Amino acid sequence: AYAPQFNSAKGPVIMAGFVAANTLRGEVKTLTGEELQERLTVNTSLQLLDVRTPDEYQEAHLPHARLVPVDELRDHLLELDPTKETVVYCRVGLRGYLAARILLQHGFTNVYNLTGGYLSFPLDKESS
């Protein structure tokens, strides 16, 4: 619970609770690294968004991922297709969660966050 003398209103524990509650209620859909790997083999029209920083993206990223940093996502909404199945990911999942919420609030209907982020994707990652 929130207590000002111990933590801020948006401290890590509170944010983790928001994420967990929204996921359990189905407000944000998630998929695992293995599920994403399967979808990438059968769904060529999947919209895969890397919402990390440009430096993180240059270091390594998932094949066919488009870089749209979460801080710039609202500026690029018109460049994205709200009807496509969209998967967002970051390093561990928090920025991906925030990106998924932004997309859902702007009319995207089939959005998934890669739970555990880039680090959860199976080890045979390829850079493209």
Side-chain angles (χ1 to χ4, degrees), residues 45-49 66 76-87 103 106-111:
S45 67
L46 182 73
Q47 191 165 228
L48 184 59
L49 302 179
R66 175 180 174 177
H76 296 277
L77 290 171
L78 296 177
E79 300 167 15
L80 304 173
D81 186 347
T83 64
K84 281 188 174 181
E85 181 177 22
T86 302
V87 176
L103 293 173
H106 284 88
F108 288 69
T109 55
N110 200 7
V111 179

Side-chain angles (χ1 to χ4, degrees), residues 3-102:
Q5 65 272 32
F6 299 112
N7 201 357
S8 70
K10 291 190 178 178
V13 173
I14 301 296
M15 289 305 294
F18 287 148
V19 171
N22 288 343
T23 301
L24 287 172
R25 283 193 301 264
E27 293 178 23
V28 175
K29 297 182 276 187
T30 62
L31 47 86
T32 65
E34 290 79 17
E35 291 169 331
L36 175 57
Q37 192 173 43
E38 288 174 25
R39 286 186 188 206
L40 288 171
T41 61
V42 297
N43 187 350
T44 56
S45 67
L46 182 73
Q47 191 165 228
L48 184 59
L49 302 179
D50 186 325
V51 297
R52 301 175 301 157
T53 65
D55 288 340
E56 289 173 297
Y57 182 83
Q58 288 293 38
E59 187 177 306
H61 57 273
L62 299 181
H64 311 292
R66 175 180 174 177
L67 174 65
V68 182
V70 70
D71 293 339
E72 301 170 17
L73 183 57
R74 286 181 181 89
D75 297 332
H76 296 277
L77 290 171
L78 296 177
E79 300 167 15
L80 304 173
D81 186 347
T83 64
K84 281 188 174 181
E85 181 177 22
T86 302
V87 176
V88 294
Y89 75 91
C90 62
R91 186 169 188 272
V92 295
L94 178 60
R95 289 175 287 175
Y97 167 81
L98 297 172
R101 294 289 294 165
I102 290 168

